[in-house]
Structure formats: structure tokens, C-alpha cells
Amino acid sequence: MREADLLRFFTTIGGFLLGSLLLALIIVLSFNPNFFALKILENNLSEFGEKPKNSLDKYLNEQLAKEMIASPETLTYLGFDSLNFLTNHNSKLDDNSIESSYEEYLFNKTYLNSLNNVDRSKLGDTKYNLDIQKFNLENKIVSHEAFPFHFNPVSQFFGNHLSIIEFLTDNHKIVNKRDIRDYLHRISAVAEVIENNINYLNERAERGIFSPKFVYEKASKQLSNIISLEIKSNPIYISLENKMNELEISQESKEKYLSDVKIRLEKDFYPSYEKLLKTLQKQITFSREMDGVWGLPNGDDYYKHRLKIYTTTSYTPDEIHDIGLEMVDTIQEEILKILASEGYNISKNLISLYEELNNDKRFLFEDSDKGRQEILDRYTQIQTDALEKMSDHFHDLPKSEVIVKRIPIYAEESAAGGYYQSPSLDGKRPGIFYANLFDVKATKSFGMPALSFHEAIPGHHFQNALNQENQNQTVWKKFGYRTSAFGEGWALYAERLAIEIGLVTDPYEMIGSLQSELFRAVRLVIDTGIHHKGWTREEAIKYMMENVGSERSEATSEVERYIVWPGQACAYMLGRIKIMELRETAKKELGNSFNIKDFHREVLMNGSVPLTVLEEIIDNYISSKKF
């Protein structure tokens, strides 16, 4: 055979084989794209953390990847756009159906069974990961088996009716026409998500489980506010319009896409919100009289379960209540000492003194757009000043920045005073500190530093951004488990740390910081009071106003949050107490060898952990420094 013929033969065979392989790949992809997406995700995740060094960590990473693949919103939130050609996740929303919840429950049971077969004695430090995930899975399984319909997914404080809008406007990136088309599909997908909420509420009602009347009233008001928006005033419409203005696409294309948004909002979005509103208006007639979950079926056990999840401790409701009462007395004494030194007549009752502070024009902002912008600018300056001090107390500083934004107007009336959103994994989206500007009078200048330290620097932003950027732990360790006890405990600790390092020198700002601590101590009393001791909503509001000095609007919003989120409010102070205790133990044991930077690295650079595990970590750190 001549050389040319031989070359032609192998070229033909090679072309055939290559074509066959490509065809086979296309066929496999068409039938199981998620398999390939999962493998790509596992590989991509390895870029954001340490490669697993043992079979357990490898297994935990693999299970985490499966959970992420099942959540389109998580993939978008974390910025895994490269997978979209396989998963098409940027055009979807999470499956929040009852059926999906059951599938997750089965997944968790299988997952836990696998972990129960692991020999803990052979794991070394990896044993912490085993302990954490078993604790996590056990709680999730109990939640589904014993209390599947106790939690209300549509309330004034949270729910898909609010989070979907925020997700679309803040997290869905639009850099090309494909992103725009995906955005449009997601608008249509809202209808199914809301329908699933309605199905859940109806199943809940079938079991005789309802929320207090105000929950239906305030969630209904939010829905009514959203429904009343003209199409062009809807944040979803405005967001797309603004983002398209930054792209190089024709005016004709822009108008076409905006027309499509209008159609989808009219056809899918608004009708689903109207149907949800009708469901709430129907169920309000059956709303429960008691505010605490003690009035629900098996309510006492449900509350104890929620306390276990959020505080990661074994404290009883009575023990937590008593801790709160003692702390309230101690902190109030500190506040009175400062007020006396500033010339206040402390023979008056505390609520009168609070009223003087709250109405002092020195500490108030103008109730206008200008005043609200001044608040945002002031928060930004507080963060800038704080960051300058951090290198003296931390080995590690976040690469991601944090910015301040106003809580969306449609949600702010019933929202908390502030909250934080983590940056994207790639760092392209910064961390966000959302500030509530609904009632300008509720934002006093002397209370702003404490809230900023808590939500941003060195609080949640340090905790979350450093965790994401840490290349010395596995991806599961970064994202596989979250607990309020650790996260909120750190943020409250950060407020005290800011005082210790000199960021609070003004006596009134010191009062603001103490009021913030008092606020969290009062939460221990109120949360257990409502859900264990049978307090009413009004009793709890009165207690908060008299003991913290909150405006009624603020006290009402907070108490109503505790009612719909039982147990979570107790995590802050119990977490702070534990971190402070561990620091004092380390100081005592290590003496001159104690280094605050080392301690902070140990606390922050091991991921989110139950308080029992954090205690073991710090004990090991102390032992390693001794020898």
C-alpha cells in the first residue's frame, strides 16, 4: 500500500472514530447532563479549597456537590456560570415542592447511614468534620420526621415572595443576551415556586397548623404592595432595564426584552402573587391565638429542637431564660453608670432615660432621601475606619470588599434593622450590608457603629469572606454546615472586640454598643418567654421597649421575628458567651504566649462549627502552644 493511500486510510478511520466518539458523548450528555455537570463542579470546587486528603473529606465534598447541583440558585449565587451549558441552571429556580423536601429527607438518611459506618477513632482532626455533619443531618432528619409542617415559609420576615425578587435583582448576573433570556425564564418560573408555597400552606392547614394573625396580615400587606406596583416600577423590570443599559445591544433588542418581561410579569408573576394573597386571606380566619409554638402540636419538643439547632447547646429553655435575666441586669447597670457620668438623672426609670436619648436631635437624621443617604454614607465611613485597625488583630483580612445598601423598600417595613449577604466565590460580587431605613428615627447615630461592626467589619463580613477565601480547608468545610450560634456569636463578639481595640470612644456610642448587647440578652428572655412561658406578643414588645429603649416599630418588628423564627434569636448571646469564655481560657492557660491574632485565626479559619466543636478546636490550639 502506498504511503498516500495508507495516510488516507488512517485519516478516514481516525475521522470516523473521532466522529463516533463525539456522537457518543453528545448522546450521553443528552441523557445525563447532570452527571458531567457534577464532575465538572467537583473539579471547579477544588479551586476554592484544599484538596481532600482522606476518604471522608472526599465523600463530604462529593455529597456537597450533589446538593449544589440540585440547587440552581446556589450555583448562580456562587457564580458557577461555566456549568450553565449543561445544567441550564441560570434559567431555573430551586424546587421547593413537598416532593422535593421528601427526596432531600431520603438523601439525608442515606447520607447519615454512610457516616455512621465511619470509624471515628481513625480520623485524627477530620473527626470534627464527621461530628459536625452527623449533628447536622440528625437535626434535619428529626425536623422532617417530627415537625414537617411547623415552620411557615411565608411570613413577614422571610419567604420566597421576598427572596425571589432580591435573588433576581441582586444575584442574577446579566452580561450577555443568554443571561437576559435566562432571566426571562426565571420570571416565569416564579409561578411554580409560589404555587409550591401555596400547596405547603394548604397541607399545613390540613394538619391544623396556623400562624398568629399578624403574620398573615403583614405578609399580605407585602404581597399587596408588590402586586400594586406598576410593571415599570417592579424591581424585576427595573433591574433588567438598568443592566441592559450597561450592555452593547441595540435599542430594538432592549425594547423586545422589556416587552417580554412585561408579558411574563403579567402572565406568571402577578397572578401567582395574587393567588398566594388569596390563600393567606383565607387562612387568616383560622390563625392561632397563641403567639408561641408551645400551642402547636408537640410544640414544646419542637421548640427544644429549634434551640438545639440554633444554639448547638443542650441548654433548657428555663436555663436560657435565667441567663438572659441576669445579663439584662448587669448590662443595664453599665448603661446607667455612663448616663450618670453624662449628667442624666438616673433616679428616673430606664425607659424615661431611653426616651430622652431616642428623641435627642443630636442623634437623629432627617426623615428624607438626604437623611437616608447620610445614614448609608456614615455606615460606609464606619467600615472604612474599622478596616484600618484590623491588621493589628488579625493575621488574615478579606480580599472581598463589603458595601452598604438599603433594604428594598417593598420589604423594609417588617425587616430587621440590618443583615448581611456574603460575596460571590469569585469575588466579583462584594459582600453587602443591608441597612433598614424604613423608620429613620429608629436609626440613632450612636447605635450605628455596633450594627456596622456586627454585620460588616469585623463581624459577618470577616467571618464569611475569610471562610470563602480560605484555601487551607476543604470546600465542604467552607459551605457544608452553617450555624447561628457560631456565625451570630462571632458577630456579637466582633462588637465587643471593636470596643476593646478603640473603635468606640464616644460615651454615647458606648451606650449604643451596650444597648446592642442588651438587645441580645433581652432576646434570650423574650424568645423563651414567648415560646416556653406563654408570653403574648404585646407583653414581649413592652418588655423590649422598657429594657432596651427600642422604638415601638423596632420592638414590634423584632418580637414578630422571634415569633416566626423560634430559637434563632437565642444563638447570638450564647455564641458570644462561648467565644469570650474560650478566649479567656486561652489567655489564662497561655499567659504571655497568647496572641490575639492566633486566637482569631483558630476561631475563623476552621469553618462554621457547633460550639462544642469550637471548644475542642481551641483546647487543641492551647495544647499545641504549650508544648
Side-chain angles (χ1 to χ4, degrees), residues 550-598:
S550 302
E551 297 288 340
R552 172 166 276 275
S553 64
E554 182 184 18
T556 300
S557 176
E558 283 296 319
V559 167
E560 290 175 349
R561 166 188 168 173
Y562 312 152
I563 291 171
V564 300
W565 206 1
Q568 194 270 346
C570 297
Y572 297 69
M573 185 55 76
L574 294 180
R576 203 287 294 270
I577 289 171
K578 176 55 67 176
I579 294 172
M580 293 291 285
E581 282 180 356
L582 294 174
R583 193 182 73 175
E584 291 309 304
T585 298
K587 278 184 176 181
K588 180 180 178 181
E589 294 289 327
L590 297 178
N592 293 333
S593 297
F594 176 80
N595 184 316
I596 192 68
K597 292 184 178 183
D598 292 343

Side-chain angles (χ1 to χ4, degrees), residues 9-229:
F9 172 80
F10 278 111
T11 301
T12 304
I13 294 297
F16 172 75
L17 291 173
L18 179 60
S20 299
L21 287 172
L22 287 173
L23 179 60
L25 180 60
I26 291 170
I27 292 172
V28 172
L29 281 173
S30 66
F31 281 103
N32 194 8
N34 270 7
F35 173 80
F36 287 91
L38 181 61
K39 295 306 174 186
I40 294 171
L41 177 59
E42 288 175 3
N43 183 66
N44 287 351
L45 286 173
S46 66
E47 299 174 12
F48 299 101
E50 183 181 54
K51 185 176 180 180
K53 296 178 180 178
N54 56 69
S55 58
L56 175 63
D57 281 343
K58 184 174 184 295
Y59 179 69
L60 293 172
N61 269 15
E62 290 170 351
Q63 301 307 103
L64 177 62
K66 289 178 183 177
E67 293 176 272
M68 287 181 171
I69 282 290
S71 172
E73 292 175 32
T74 297
L75 294 177
T76 294
Y77 181 80
L78 294 176
F80 287 116
D81 299 328
S82 61
L83 292 176
N84 200 41
F85 80 101
L86 285 171
T87 59
N88 203 28
H89 65 267
N90 279 338
S91 67
K92 304 172 185 175
L93 296 171
D94 284 358
D95 184 350
N96 64 324
S97 65
I98 295 172
E99 293 77 15
S100 176
S101 176
Y102 182 68
E103 289 172 6
E104 182 183 350
Y105 161 69
L106 295 179
F107 173 84
N108 289 335
K109 286 197 73 175
T110 302
Y111 194 170
L112 181 59
N113 287 338
S114 298
L115 295 184
N116 284 335
N117 291 324
V118 176
D119 187 347
R120 186 179 186 273
S121 64
K122 298 179 180 179
L123 293 177
D125 285 346
T126 311
K127 65 187 178 185
Y128 298 138
N129 297 351
L130 178 66
D131 295 342
I132 293 167
Q133 190 59 340
K134 286 178 69 173
F135 176 80
N136 184 31
L137 292 171
E138 286 165 359
N139 285 331
K140 287 181 176 181
I141 290 168
V142 170
S143 293
H144 186 90
E145 291 179 343
F147 317 107
F149 293 98
H150 278 56
F151 195 77
N152 185 353
V154 183
S155 74
Q156 84 291 353
F157 188 68
F158 41 60
N160 292 122
H161 66 295
L162 301 175
S163 62
I164 282 174
I165 300 174
E166 186 176 300
F167 175 78
L168 286 172
T169 57
D170 288 359
N171 299 127
H172 186 107
K173 291 186 293 187
I174 293 179
V175 297
N176 55 44
K177 289 187 176 181
R178 168 68 187 270
D179 295 335
I180 297 172
R181 292 192 294 271
D182 285 342
Y183 188 82
L184 297 172
H185 286 303
R186 273 182 159 158
I187 295 172
S188 293
V190 169
E192 184 175 358
V193 172
I194 298 300
E195 184 67 25
N196 286 335
N197 281 146
I198 293 170
N199 291 338
Y200 181 94
L201 289 171
N202 288 337
E203 285 287 336
R204 198 170 181 255
E206 285 291 320
R207 289 160 173 76
I209 300 176
F210 297 94
S211 297
K213 186 177 181 180
F214 77 85
V215 178
Y216 298 107
E217 290 176 337
K218 297 206 168 182
S220 294
K221 185 176 181 180
Q222 290 172 337
L223 289 166
S224 296
N225 289 342
I226 294 168
I227 292 168
S228 68
L229 292 170

Side-chain angles (χ1 to χ4, degrees), residues 478-511:
K478 292 184 182 187
F479 303 110
Y481 174 72
R482 288 285 185 273
T483 166
S484 292
F486 177 82
E488 299 299 350
W490 169 264
L492 191 53
Y493 167 82
E495 295 181 36
R496 173 55 61 169
L497 178 67
I499 295 171
E500 294 171 345
I501 65 181
L503 286 169
V504 179
T505 55
D506 179 87
Y508 292 102
E509 290 185 356
M510 186 63 200
I511 289 174

